[in-house]
Every structure is written in C-alpha cells, then in structure tokens.
Amino acid sequence: MSYSGINLENVKSFNRSAILKLLNDQGAMSRKDIAIRLGLAPATVSVICSELPPVWFSLQSGCAFPPRNPNASTNEHH
C-alpha cells in the first residue's frame, strides 16, 4: 500500500525555512507578525520557534536571528 499526500515533516521543514528566511530578510519580529506575513497559524510559528536553538529566540516573545557581533561596542581596545 502506498500513501500519497503531504508529508508533515516536509511541510514543517518548509515552514521552518520560510520563517528563517523571513527573519534573515526582515529582522526580528513577533510570532504573530511572522504568522501573518507567512499565512501560517500562530501555533505553527510558536512550535517552530520553540524548536530553534535558544540563541535564535528573542525574549520579546518572537523569533530573531542572533546579533552578528553582539560585543562589537565592548571589544574596542583603546
């Protein structure tokens, strides 16, 4: 017996990629804004964000890429 239809793991992977691309292109934003922009259910965005490594998660209840150089202003040597 063969199954046809949508593979949920592929859909999840596609959604994760879409979220990361959006964040890379547009910067940090709330989960709600991500859901609206991508046409995803807020719960879907929350699940995917919760599975990202902690460094990707913003404490402002959204997702965000980590800063490119978080110590840029503190690493200056005088």
Side-chain angles (χ1 to χ4, degrees):
M1 171 188 268
S2 68
Y3 294 99
S4 63
I6 298 173
N7 179 318
L8 294 180
E9 283 302 314
N10 287 344
V11 171
K12 190 172 188 178
S13 178
F14 178 83
N15 289 341
R16 182 183 305 111
S17 294
I19 289 170
L20 293 174
K21 181 176 182 342
L22 177 66
L23 294 171
N24 186 50
D25 293 347
Q26 302 295 315
M29 64 181 66
S30 70
R31 294 175 188 184
K32 180 180 177 182
D33 288 340
I34 294 168
I36 291 169
R37 288 184 182 223
L38 295 178
L40 298 173
T44 299
V45 174
S46 290
V47 167
I48 291 171
C49 286
S50 72
E51 293 173 348
L52 295 174
V55 70
W56 294 88
F57 183 69
S58 168
L59 296 177
Q60 303 302 318
S61 74
C63 292
F65 276 89
R68 286 193 167 85
N69 188 354
N71 298 318
S73 62
T74 60
N75 282 341
E76 295 178 6
H77 296 286
H78 298 284

